[in-house]
Amino acid sequence: MGNFLPLSIKLVDAKPMTVSSICEAEAALQGQWPNKGAAPYRDACRLIAAAKGGSCSPAIAFAAFKAAAIDQRLLQPAEKSDALKMLDDVSKDIQI
């Protein structure tokens, strides 16, 4: 189990991945990305490596990974959890 809320990404080769840890983010960064020269991608690589080395907060590195995935349009929309679906069903009948 990862340390972060899972992100669903789809790499250029259409390989879907769920990323919820620094190690999984590192593995995802080694996959096929549209532009490995883009600044957000390079920042994510640098910060993930720094987090593994202990010189960067894992939360900051994971946020950089998420930003790179958003920048390159790899982040997939998250599905609602079962609990959120139930809450939506219950709340639709409540009038404010």
Side-chain angles (χ1 to χ4, degrees), residues 8-61:
S8 295
I9 64 168
K10 188 177 283 189
L11 300 176
V12 172
D13 61 0
K15 179 182 175 189
M17 294 185 75
T18 300
V19 179
S20 62
S21 70
I22 295 299
C23 291
E24 291 171 349
E26 181 181 45
L29 288 168
Q30 293 172 3
Q32 292 183 2
W33 286 62
N35 182 1
K36 288 190 173 187
Y41 176 86
R42 291 192 326 265
D43 288 343
C45 290
R46 179 178 52 82
L47 292 170
I48 292 290
K52 287 187 74 177
S55 62
C56 175
S57 161
I60 290 172

Side-chain angles (χ1 to χ4, degrees), residues 79-89:
E79 281 190 29
K80 288 184 179 179
S81 69
D82 289 338
L84 188 54
K85 289 175 189 174
M86 287 189 332
L87 180 62
D88 285 346
D89 289 343

